[in-house]
Amino acid sequence: MSWILPFLYTIVLWFLWTAGKLLRGYSRLKPLGLPIFVQIYDPNPGLLLIRVFSNRLLNAALRNLRRLLGISDTPLPLKPRDLPGNDLPAAYFRLCPSSVELIINDTELASNVLSRRNDFIKLVEIAGKLDIYGPSVQTAEGDTWRRHRKITAPSFNERVSSSVWTETVEQAETMVQSWIRHGQAGTYDTAADINRLTIQVFSFAGLGIKYTVTNDARSLKPGHSISYGEALSTVLDSLILLVLLPARFFTLALLPNRFRKVGTASAEFLNYMRETLEHERSKSEDRADASRVTSAGNFAAALIRASEGESVDNQGHRSQGLTDSEIFGNLFIYNVAGHATTANAITYAIALLAAYPKWQNWIAKEMDGLDVEDPLAYEDTFPKMKRCLAVMLETLRLYPPGIAIPKTTGASPQTILIGNRTYVIPRRTYVTVDTMSLHTNTDHWGLDAHVWRPNRWLVGGEPQHAVESQAHVVSPSNCKVQKDTETLLEPRKGVYVPWSDGPRVCPGRRFSQVEFVAAMAVLFQRGRRVQPKLSVGE
């Protein structure tokens, strides 16, 4: 029992250290004029065990300590819900013992922060962890970011989008037919099948690797120990391990099989990207022809061709292309962002449509008379499928790929404007745009902001009561709608940010939208519907 006293001393010392840090931080932030909320532990996984200590106990101790030090006895609010009426302020500080974070809930302020790329920068110490295979547009800043963006953004051209549509239609039809063969037994592999669908779409439209029913992304290619699909899936599932641990860790001889599998998958994924790079370069006979960038049928080809040589902008500044490592970094980051985001959006959308079948009939109406398998379907059909796109937009509103967008003020203090008052944010302050707060703002989205309602995205469409009254409609012959009367809602800046906003908005947004809409079109054409498989007693 001799350890009890040292343990108690340690707890008391930690308690006093935490209280002192919070009080000093509170004293520095108070004059700035924004609300302050206290969190007794730092946002660090190694310190989360401190949550076992009660906020109420700490608040009482802080009050006593303030009295001893002659500081005002005004209680420190510990969480946003302590505010009267549970109304979140436009912005507030979250004070931790070793860090300060500014949380932004206001749409105009969010738009302003996201548009000031040089003032509110990415958290390099966090974003840089994703440079597993090389730097990318997602992790770069300053001139390096401009170079990456200039090369990667045009690579998402219309030919790539057309390839996305065609490949998604083909792969989705194969997936649906496999589901139909299950009959009334249904399928329990929805998420896994959609995961494979998006992998195979990006394989073709992103890397130029074609998979078929008999040769899917799980098939082993010569010279590889695991398939491309297995390599990518393992890398995505083990992303935290790859971020936290150095690459050489996975080569240690005595590691458990699970860790060795992650190392093998990471190495094989890099080998697949190397093969793509070599294949596309071997196909290029005239690398100096810049017009070939727009003729590339997949993202990797367009990226590689845009990276070759150097370019000169209107001011005469020369810009080098991307190195092999930077190409690998960008291919990886778009694999992660594009595949994971779209797969999750489709999976959530199918579950929501099964739960609320009236919306299946609603999107089926606009498919009447459209041939999604026509060779020109992308150019002719995609612009007309506003309801399918509305399903994606609404799904990402409530289930975005990230619940927040992290930034920092960097080495200099920055100013923000709330109403008519200017506030100075200290240097090295974390700044977080609260995506969920923006996406459920009742001032913009209405009192039903927490309700999944896709038709909120269409202007001039059917009113809500019309959707409700036709919930029983199943026959495509009854599905007619004046498609030209509906237009997509364009939210103002800062209201809707699943692909971020401002200069750093995701350049792959069109890629994911085309893939999602094509998948929905295949799933719900020809009178097809999805319904949940009920368990006994449900």
Side-chain angles (χ1 to χ4, degrees):
M1 303 294 290
S2 60
W3 57 270
I4 294 180
L5 280 179
F7 177 76
L8 291 176
Y9 287 146
T10 302
I11 295 299
V12 170
L13 288 174
W14 170 85
F15 196 86
L16 293 174
W17 174 85
T18 299
K21 294 279 286 187
L22 291 176
L23 285 171
R24 286 194 295 271
Y26 189 82
S27 299
R28 288 195 300 268
L29 294 178
K30 187 64 176 176
L32 300 181
L34 286 171
I36 305 168
F37 300 96
V38 176
Q39 180 171 295
I40 65 173
Y41 54 88
D42 287 295
N44 184 311
L47 300 177
L48 293 184
L49 290 177
I50 300 174
R51 287 182 176 181
V52 298
F53 295 97
S54 167
N55 279 341
R56 185 176 300 175
L57 177 63
L58 180 64
N59 206 2
L62 289 173
R63 283 198 298 269
N64 293 329
L65 188 58
R66 282 198 302 273
R67 291 193 188 101
L68 291 174
L69 299 177
I71 303 176
S72 169
D73 192 39
T74 304
L76 293 178
L78 290 171
K79 45 193 175 296
R81 64 175 178 270
D82 288 340
L83 284 177
N86 196 26
D87 292 326
L88 288 174
Y92 63 88
F93 286 113
R94 182 169 67 177
L95 174 63
C96 303
S98 299
S99 64
V100 176
E101 182 180 12
L102 178 71
I103 311 291
I104 295 175
N105 303 295
D106 180 72
T107 56
E108 291 186 12
L109 180 56
S111 176
N112 178 265
V113 167
L114 294 176
S115 67
R116 294 163 60 183
R117 177 176 57 83
N118 295 323
D119 295 335
F120 296 94
I121 61 177
K122 291 187 73 71
L123 288 167
V124 178
E125 63 271 25
I126 296 178
K129 299 291 186 180
L130 291 173
D131 289 341
I132 298 171
Y133 300 99
S136 70
V137 66
Q138 176 70 17
T139 61
E141 275 292 347
D143 292 339
T144 303
W145 174 83
R146 281 190 288 272
R147 178 169 57 86
H148 279 257
R149 178 77 178 193
K150 182 178 180 180
I151 293 173
T152 60
S155 299
F156 288 101
N157 54 60
E158 285 300 281
R159 278 204 62 181
V160 170
S161 294
S162 181
S163 296
V164 172
W165 178 277
T166 304
E167 188 66 12
T168 303
V169 167
E170 178 183 335
Q171 299 288 352
E173 183 63 35
T174 301
M175 181 183 71
V176 171
Q177 290 302 323
S178 72
W179 289 353
I180 292 174
R181 285 193 292 272
H182 285 87
Q184 292 300 314
T187 177
Y188 294 91
D189 298 324
T190 308
D193 289 344
I194 292 170
N195 191 57
R196 185 163 61 252
L197 165 72
T198 54
I199 285 177
Q200 295 184 177
V201 169
F202 193 89
S203 297
F204 179 73
L207 302 177
I209 303 173
K210 176 68 175 179
Y211 290 103
T212 62
V213 179
T214 57
N215 175 34
D216 68 9
R218 295 169 295 181
S219 302
L220 192 61
K221 288 189 170 294
H224 292 275
S225 59
I226 61 175
S227 68
Y228 166 77
E230 184 180 357
L232 177 56
S233 295
T234 303
V235 166
L236 293 176
D237 292 341
S238 310
L239 192 56
I240 294 179
L241 287 176
L242 291 169
V243 165
L244 295 178
L245 300 173
R248 63 179 179 274
F249 171 82
F250 299 98
T251 64
L252 298 177
L254 300 179
L255 283 179
N257 287 335
R258 181 195 172 198
F259 289 98
R260 288 206 300 270
K261 181 181 177 181
V262 173
T264 300
S266 179
E268 284 286 45
F269 183 67
L270 178 59
N271 289 336
Y272 278 109
M273 289 194 292
R274 282 201 180 105
E275 287 181 1
T276 298
L277 185 66
E278 293 168 0
H279 176 68
E280 291 299 334
R281 281 178 173 164
S282 68
K283 286 166 44 178
S284 179
E285 297 179 355
D286 184 9
R287 301 180 181 179
D289 185 2
S291 66
R292 298 190 62 213
V293 172
T294 59
S295 68
N298 64 73
F299 171 69
L303 181 64
I304 291 165
R305 292 167 189 173
S307 298
E308 294 171 343
E310 63 178 12
S311 60
V312 182
D313 61 20
N314 295 332
Q315 286 75 39
H317 299 139
R318 295 185 177 275
S319 176
Q320 294 290 336
L322 300 179
T323 65
D324 287 0
S325 175
E326 290 171 331
I327 290 175
F328 296 148
N330 280 289
L331 288 176
F332 169 68
I333 208 68
Y334 284 119
N335 258 288
V336 172
H339 157 68
T341 300
T342 310
N344 289 340
I346 296 174
T347 303
Y348 272 113
I350 290 177
L352 289 163
L353 288 166
Y356 305 103
K358 64 187 178 185
W359 297 112
Q360 297 184 50
N361 303 313
W362 181 73
I363 63 174
K365 290 182 180 182
E366 73 175 359
M367 298 181 195
D368 190 28
L370 299 180
D371 184 3
V372 299
E373 296 178 357
D374 184 275
L376 299 178
Y378 169 67
E379 293 82 359
D380 295 341
T381 304
F382 174 72
K384 300 174 184 177
M385 305 195 70
K386 299 165 190 168
R387 292 188 174 187
C388 285
L389 184 54
V391 168
M392 181 186 198
L393 298 176
E394 181 70 350
T395 301
L396 290 178
R397 185 179 70 85
L398 293 178
Y399 305 95
I403 61 173
I405 303 174
K407 300 282 185 180
T408 179
T409 53
S412 304
Q414 302 296 338
T415 60
I416 59 172
L417 183 66
I418 301 177
N420 296 321
R421 182 173 175 181
T422 299
Y423 298 86
V424 178
I425 309 304
R427 67 189 186 95
R428 306 197 189 288
T429 298
Y430 296 136
V431 178
T432 299
V433 175
D434 190 336
T435 302
M436 290 306 302
S437 177
L438 302 179
H439 286 190
T440 55
N441 186 317
T442 55
D443 290 339
H444 182 82
W445 300 106
L447 296 179
D448 66 343
H450 290 84
V451 175
W452 187 75
R453 182 168 64 81
N455 69 342
R456 74 172 75 245
W457 286 91
L458 294 179
V459 179
E462 292 178 331
Q464 177 68 16
H465 66 81
V467 177
E468 297 284 355
S469 66
Q470 298 178 20
H472 65 283
V473 178
V474 174
S475 172
S477 62
N478 295 330
C479 296
K480 297 184 183 299
V481 64
Q482 297 296 323
K483 305 180 184 70
D484 294 338
T485 66
E486 296 179 329
T487 58
L488 277 169
L489 173 72
E490 287 287 344
R492 68 173 184 265
K493 292 288 187 180
V495 170
Y496 185 69
V497 293
W499 290 283
S500 192
D501 204 354
R504 298 200 73 128
V505 66
C506 176
R509 175 174 52 182
R510 179 79 164 187
F511 190 112
S512 64
Q513 290 178 347
V514 171
E515 183 177 4
F516 182 96
V517 170
M520 290 294 107
V522 171
L523 284 169
F524 297 101
Q525 67 176 345
R526 307 189 191 117
R528 293 169 178 162
R529 296 295 184 271
V530 61
Q531 62 185 27
K533 176 66 176 176
L534 301 180
S535 300
V536 177
E538 289 186 321

